[in-house]
């Protein structure tokens, strides 16, 4: 076999049509072997003799796409110094573009012996571990263009590749649970009809099913256990795992783009699947442990701000390079449109505390590729000082956990300050205005993958996670949920009626709020996980979306919720007053010739709120006037934007209340939303209402009035 010196860049395996260049970083190694794996179980070892700045490299002519490979790193095994090199462990390429196979759990994939954790384990891991794959980078993207949706027109749909598609009756069996299913017309049609602009996929980076879960007969369903930051997860491919997963993912992105739908990825750059000092040796740990991971003062152990056993070392230039190279790869080569960063506070821990000015954010800010896509932070982790909602840099948007908590509390009847609900409804200026950000920095959500579904939020007071095998100890215990009078399933017609109304209230509030709304998959037709609020290990029908019967869709309560959700999304899309790009001023806007303020707040009696009202009133009943003739931001060509005006009436109290229509903000209105109705939306044209009229809102309901411009 010929072996040429090759190049130190780019890292990973790069096929050029005639052969493949291999390059891998390790400062800890004495020497590195590239192992080319054959289908009969044998391997050919090639020593990487060339080294530049600790990058070992070689070019091997004739190595084609589909070739499986790994590395064996020869070097010190000295956990007391943080070093865990072990040539008996076949290591994944940290830059592998595809990964084949799965782990067969056993002592072979660990660097120590189970009965003697301090003794090095020299059992060969090759027959038991996953392998890296050389991929063909060439793909016919045709005239693919990113939709480039502005945040003000974005509606995010959080979904799991398998969970969304596994039970859809319109999908062929062989495509269910795969990237190809995302590209199927039945999935795309649903998203388009719903009004979704952006599909946020739960982790699709190659991840590992934890040893503990496999022993329990469970799987890591969510996928927050990454081992390959460049590789699409192979189990979601219908064609094969020797590089076919890359082509299939690209095909799905291309199809979604053709429908005008963006694709953003939920990414996990805060930790890896190698766990703590008792975890397996799969890649980074054996390659250069102290360069990749945050170690404690005793370097045998790992700093853990993620709750998973380890945290990546965010002050290491090699970790930062890995992350930035990965992000650029997914944008330039896979054509994705942005990222949601899991436990993003960990990315800001350059030393110990969360540092808003850490190197990672500096690199993102100046990167000409990554800085131009959607960047969404989950602004917390489990470390000290990890809750950082509102504290990320101006380029970033954030999952607004305070929005979720406030809206849940209001509709379940928890007494909260009225001013806090007002801030959440209008874009959370208390969180985002002082650093130059705008309402669109707030990713608003009521539910997501983590926690109760929308149906379960109104059906359970307590979590029911026994199926997870941890005696119901896992998962959040304080869910701000309310079961509407009975726990779980019921035949009580009044309870079911109230639950349906509460779901409509949450959907309507989400779509009427300033910021960027996010829907969790299946919530649009009330999917349930039967009270399990931590379904991370439930790779089964408990967590997979059960789709509605298309023939009976309109005739069921869940079908009515789907129709209502579509109506609310499209109401938002049709009216810029609900998706402003600047915060409200609370006064008339200059140049509009309108004496009315851009926003006004009223008591149920139709009187403008006073400071005393703000200080004393519970967050349960109020009206909000949104002036469509006082939108301060211009259109894309500098034109003035005008819209209809709306009056939002919230009755989150447990009793029926009369609301007076304010007398000085429009003479005639039309009712366009009424969550007390089973369909939520009156037939058009809706009932007419005059200024000064009294409207009766039943307990826990919401009504929207519209006045043409």
């Amino acid at each position: 076999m010929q072996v040429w010196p090759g190049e130190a860049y780019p890292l990973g395996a790069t096929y050029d049509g005639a052969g493949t260049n291999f390059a891998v970083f390790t400062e800890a190694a004495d020497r590195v072997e590239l192992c080319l794996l054959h289908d009969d179980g044998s391997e050919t070892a090639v020593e990487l003799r060339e080294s530049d700045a600790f990058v070992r490299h070689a070019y091997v002519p004739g190595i084609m796409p589909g070739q499986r490979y790994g590395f064996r790193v020869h070097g010190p095994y000295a956990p007391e110094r943080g070093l865990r090199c072990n040539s008996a462990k076949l290591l994944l390429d940290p830059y592998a573009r595809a990964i084949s196979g799965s782990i067969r759990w056993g002592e072979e994939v660990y660097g120590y012996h189970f009965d003697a954790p301090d003794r090095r384990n020299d059992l060969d891991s090759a027959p038991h571990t996953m392998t890296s794959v050389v991929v063909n980078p060439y793909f016919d993207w045709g005239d693919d263009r990113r939709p480039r949706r502005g945040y003000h027109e974005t509606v995010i749909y959080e979904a799991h590749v398998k969970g969304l598609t596994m039970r859809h009756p319109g999908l062929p069996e062989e495509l269910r649970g795969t990237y190809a299913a995302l590209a199927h017309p039945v999935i795309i049609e649903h998203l388009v009809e719903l009004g979704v602009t952006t599909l946020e996929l739960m982790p699709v980076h190659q991840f590992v099913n934890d040893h503990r879960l496999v022993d329990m007969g469970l799987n890591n369903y969510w996928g927050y256990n990454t081992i390959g930051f460049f590789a699409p997860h192979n189990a979601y491919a219908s064609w094969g795992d020797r590089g076919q997963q890359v082509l299939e993912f690209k095909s799905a992105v291309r199809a979604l783009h053709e429908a005008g739908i963006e694709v953003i990825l939920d990414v996990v750059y805060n930790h890896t699947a190698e766990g703590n000092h008792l975890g397996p040796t799969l890649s980074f740990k054996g390659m250069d442990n102290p360069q990749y991971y945050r170690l404690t003062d005793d370097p045998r152990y790992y700093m853990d701000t993620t709750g998973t056993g380890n945290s990546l070392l965010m002050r290491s230039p090699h970790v930062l390079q890995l992350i930035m190279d990965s992000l650029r790869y997914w944008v330039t080569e896979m054509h994705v449109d942005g990222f949601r960063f899991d436990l993003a506070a960990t990315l800001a821990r350059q030393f110990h505390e969360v540092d808003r000015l850490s190197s990672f954010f500096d690199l993102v800010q100046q990167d000409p590729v990554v800085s131009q896509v959607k960047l969404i932070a989950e602004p917390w982790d489990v470390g000290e000082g990890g809750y950082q909602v509102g504290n990320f840099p101006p380029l970033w948007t954030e999952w607004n956990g305070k929005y979720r908590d406030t809206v849940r509390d209001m509709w379940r009847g928890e007494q909260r300050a009225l001013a806090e609900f007002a801030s959440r409804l209008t874009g959370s200026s208390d969180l985002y205005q002082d650093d130059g950000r705008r309402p669109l920095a707030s990713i608003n959500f009521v539910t997501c993958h983590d926690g109760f579904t929308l149906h379960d939020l109104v059906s359970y007071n307590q979590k029911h996670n026994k199926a997870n095998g941890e005696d119901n100890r896992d998962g959040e215990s304080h869910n701000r949920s309310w079961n509407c009078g009975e726990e779980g399933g019921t035949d009580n017609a009044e309870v079911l009626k109230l639950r349906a109304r509460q779901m409509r209230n949450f959907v309507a509030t989400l779509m009427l709020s300033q910021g960027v709304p996010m829907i969790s998959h299946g919530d649009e037709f009330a999917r349930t996980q039967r009270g399990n609020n931590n379904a991370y290990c439930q790779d089964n029908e408990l967590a997979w979306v059960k789709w509605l019967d298309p023939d009976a869709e309109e005739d069921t309560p869940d079908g009515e919720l789907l129709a209502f959700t579509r109506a609310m999304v499209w109401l938002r899309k049709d009216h810029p007053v609900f998706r402003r790009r600047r915060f409200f001023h609370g006064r008339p806007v200059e140049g509009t010739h309108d004496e009315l303020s851009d926003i006004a707040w009223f008591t149920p009696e139709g009187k403008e709120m006073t400071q005393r009202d703000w200080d004393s009133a519970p967050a349960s009943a109020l009206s909000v006037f949104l002036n469509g003739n006082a939108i301060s931001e211009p259109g894309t060509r500098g034109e003035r934007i005008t819209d209809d005006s709306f009056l939002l009436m919230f009755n989150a109290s447990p009793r029926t209340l009369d609301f007076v229509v304010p007398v000085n903000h429009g003479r005639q209105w039309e009712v366009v939303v009424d969550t007390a109705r089973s369909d939520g939306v009156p037939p058009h044209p809706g009932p007419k209402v005059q200024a000064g009229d009294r409207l009766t809102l039943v307990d826990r309901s919401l009504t929207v009035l519209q006045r043409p411009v």
Side-chain angles (χ1 to χ4, degrees):
M1 176 181 291
Q2 288 186 319
V3 180
W4 301 347
E7 302 288 342
Y9 188 85
L11 290 164
T14 305
Y15 171 70
D16 64 4
T20 300
N21 189 81
F22 296 91
V24 62
F25 162 79
T26 171
E27 189 173 341
D30 295 329
R31 62 188 184 94
V32 176
E33 289 179 304
L34 164 69
C35 298
L36 301 173
L37 305 170
H38 310 298
D39 289 343
D40 63 1
S42 64
E43 64 183 61
T44 300
V46 176
E47 185 168 351
L48 303 183
R49 299 182 182 275
E50 299 294 327
S51 177
D52 294 297
F54 300 109
V55 175
R56 314 295 177 104
H57 54 88
Y59 180 92
V60 186
I63 297 299
M64 308 298 284
Q67 173 67 56
R68 295 183 302 122
Y69 70 99
F71 295 105
R72 294 189 186 274
V73 173
H74 300 258
Y77 182 81
E80 70 279 3
R81 292 190 286 136
L83 297 169
R84 296 179 178 270
C85 300
N86 186 338
S87 60
K89 309 306 167 187
L90 185 74
L91 303 179
L92 290 168
D93 182 352
Y95 277 69
R97 269 54 171 183
I99 292 174
S100 177
S102 59
I103 295 175
R104 291 168 51 201
W105 288 109
E107 199 171 39
E108 294 84 356
V109 297
Y110 290 82
Y112 62 92
H113 288 280
F114 290 167
D115 60 353
D118 294 329
R119 185 161 57 92
R120 170 175 157 149
N121 174 350
D122 289 326
L123 296 172
D124 185 7
S125 70
H128 303 270
T129 193
M130 300 184 289
T131 57
S132 308
V133 179
V134 177
V135 304
N136 188 340
Y138 306 109
F139 180 77
D140 182 9
W141 283 104
D143 59 355
D144 179 68
R145 292 186 179 183
R146 295 185 179 86
R148 296 191 182 279
R149 299 281 193 174
Y151 277 115
H152 67 287
E153 60 180 5
T154 296
V155 177
I156 297 174
Y157 189 83
E158 186 199 32
H160 186 284
V161 173
K162 188 173 185 180
L164 179 67
T165 63
M166 198 63 187
R167 302 180 70 186
H168 196 296
L171 286 170
E173 289 279 352
E174 65 273 15
L175 295 187
R176 295 182 183 183
T178 70
Y179 303 120
L182 297 177
H184 195 279
V186 296
I187 298 297
I188 291 178
E189 181 182 359
H190 175 75
L191 298 176
V192 170
E193 289 182 353
L194 186 57
V196 168
T197 68
T198 305
L199 180 63
E200 179 180 309
L201 295 176
M202 290 175 64
V204 298
H205 287 175
Q206 184 70 49
F207 61 86
V208 171
N209 277 323
D210 315 51
H211 193 169
R212 179 184 67 86
L213 291 178
V214 172
D215 284 349
M216 295 169 63
L218 301 170
N219 285 311
N220 189 319
Y221 166 64
W222 283 353
Y224 292 93
N225 204 31
T226 304
I227 197 62
F229 294 107
F230 295 79
H233 187 59
N234 56 25
Y236 297 155
S238 63
W239 306 345
D241 71 354
R242 297 285 187 93
Q244 295 94 333
Q245 61 265 54
V246 178
L247 300 177
E248 189 171 329
F249 182 87
K250 289 179 176 180
S251 297
V253 172
R254 184 178 59 191
L256 288 159
H257 281 181
E258 287 175 358
I261 298 173
E262 296 178 312
V263 178
I264 62 178
L265 305 185
D266 191 340
V267 290
V268 189
Y269 292 111
N270 51 72
H271 74 280
T272 79
E274 292 187 298
N276 61 16
H277 63 289
L278 297 177
T281 300
L282 305 175
S283 179
F284 310 92
K285 185 180 289 186
M287 197 72 70
D288 199 324
N289 191 56
Q291 284 290 338
Y292 281 111
Y293 294 114
R294 293 189 67 189
L295 305 179
T296 66
D297 292 338
D298 182 343
R300 290 177 298 175
Y301 305 112
Y302 296 81
M303 186 78 74
D304 179 15
T305 59
T306 65
T308 61
N310 66 57
S311 302
L312 285 173
L313 182 63
M314 295 308 298
R315 66 176 180 270
S316 165
H318 304 289
V319 169
L320 293 171
Q321 180 185 6
L322 172 82
I323 295 173
M324 295 307 298
D325 285 350
S326 170
L327 292 170
R328 277 191 296 270
Y329 174 79
W330 285 94
V331 174
T332 59
E333 297 296 322
M334 309 295 265
H335 286 209
V336 304
D337 304 281
F339 306 94
R340 178 265 187 189
F341 292 80
D342 177 66
L343 300 182
T346 291
L347 303 178
R349 292 184 184 273
Q350 189 163 340
F351 294 98
H352 174 70
E353 71 284 351
V354 175
D355 180 5
R356 176 173 155 172
L357 301 178
S358 71
S359 298
F360 172 69
F361 297 111
D362 293 342
L363 290 171
V364 170
Q365 181 74 34
Q366 60 80 44
D367 190 277
V369 173
V370 180
S371 65
Q372 298 306 302
V373 300
K374 285 184 167 68
L375 301 171
I376 304 171
E378 181 185 36
W380 50 77
D381 65 13
V382 300
E384 182 180 353
Y387 192 76
Q388 293 290 320
V389 174
N391 291 334
F392 275 69
L395 189 64
W396 291 68
T397 63
E398 301 175 10
W399 271 26
N400 191 343
K402 292 187 177 181
Y403 177 93
R404 172 201 60 203
D405 296 346
T406 301
V407 171
R408 286 187 178 192
D409 278 350
M410 188 190 77
W411 284 114
R412 74 187 177 110
E414 187 75 11
Q415 296 303 306
R416 268 184 175 264
L418 193 58
E420 185 171 7
F421 172 69
S423 180
R424 303 296 160 250
L425 185 71
T426 55
S428 295
S429 60
D430 59 325
L431 299 177
Y432 304 115
Q433 192 169 29
D434 62 349
D435 59 7
R437 287 191 286 177
R438 295 189 171 171
L440 301 170
S442 178
I443 306 298
N444 298 329
F445 66 105
V446 175
T447 58
C448 64
H449 69 274
D450 189 2
F452 283 141
T453 66
L454 182 62
H455 171 277
D456 293 357
L457 183 67
V458 302
S459 304
Y460 295 90
N461 285 351
Q462 309 296 329
K463 62 185 180 182
H464 296 264
N465 297 354
K466 286 290 183 81
N468 295 355
E470 298 182 44
D471 199 27
N472 209 38
R473 292 189 302 270
D474 64 302
E476 176 62 57
S477 296
H478 183 46
N479 294 283
R480 293 182 164 88
S481 61
W482 179 48
N483 63 19
C484 297
E486 294 187 18
E487 186 75 358
T490 180
D491 295 324
N492 187 314
E494 289 303 310
V495 170
L496 293 173
K497 183 178 178 181
L498 177 55
R499 288 178 180 177
R501 187 159 75 247
Q502 286 284 71
M503 285 190 281
R504 291 191 292 272
N505 290 334
F506 282 122
V507 169
T509 304
L510 180 63
M511 292 304 156
L512 297 171
S513 298
Q514 304 298 323
V516 180
M518 184 183 78
I519 304 167
S520 181
H521 68 188
D523 276 353
E524 66 270 32
F525 41 76
R527 81 176 185 96
T528 179
Q529 292 177 170
R530 299 198 292 276
N532 191 316
N533 74 347
N534 190 33
Y536 78 102
C537 58
Q538 297 298 324
D539 189 5
N540 51 54
E541 293 189 355
L542 178 71
W544 300 340
V545 173
K546 180 181 180 182
W547 290 79
L548 299 180
D549 180 351
D551 295 329
E553 187 174 288
E554 296 289 335
D555 302 327
T556 64
D558 294 346
E560 287 184 328
L561 178 62
L562 174 59
F564 177 73
T565 304
R566 286 172 178 162
M568 291 307 305
V569 173
W570 284 97
L571 179 69
R572 177 187 182 84
K573 291 169 74 74
D574 289 341
H575 293 284
V577 75
F578 297 124
R579 41 188 179 84
R580 291 177 53 126
R581 289 175 284 125
R582 296 177 183 170
F583 287 109
F584 290 100
H585 301 283
R587 61 178 184 274
V589 175
E590 294 182 8
T592 62
H593 307 293
D594 192 323
E595 297 180 356
L596 297 176
S597 173
D598 57 354
I599 188 170
W601 304 86
F602 299 91
T603 66
E605 292 75 27
K607 305 295 184 181
E608 285 208 48
M609 297 278 289
T610 64
Q611 189 58 50
R612 182 176 179 180
D613 293 323
W614 286 113
D615 293 339
S616 62
S620 60
L622 78 163
S623 296
V624 188
F625 168 73
L626 304 180
N627 190 349
N629 198 38
I631 299 175
S632 58
E633 60 266 25
T636 54
R637 299 186 178 182
E639 75 278 11
R640 183 178 168 228
I641 298 175
T642 60
D643 192 11
D644 297 345
S645 295
F646 290 84
L647 188 66
L648 318 180
M649 297 177 166
F650 296 89
N651 180 16
S653 73
R655 57 194 179 90
T656 297
L657 293 176
D658 283 344
F659 281 67
V660 176
V661 179
V663 296
N664 297 320
H665 288 72
R667 287 180 293 183
Q668 182 169 293
W669 301 79
E670 178 185 343
V671 178
V672 293
V673 176
D674 180 1
T675 62
R677 299 173 54 98
S678 63
D679 57 7
V681 179
H684 183 72
K688 296 296 187 290
V689 178
Q690 306 297 321
D693 283 357
R694 286 184 173 271
L695 284 181
T696 300
L697 271 67
V698 303
D699 62 289
R700 297 185 174 89
S701 69
L702 182 160
T703 294
V704 178
L705 307 183
Q706 180 178 357
R707 175 171 63 82
V709 63

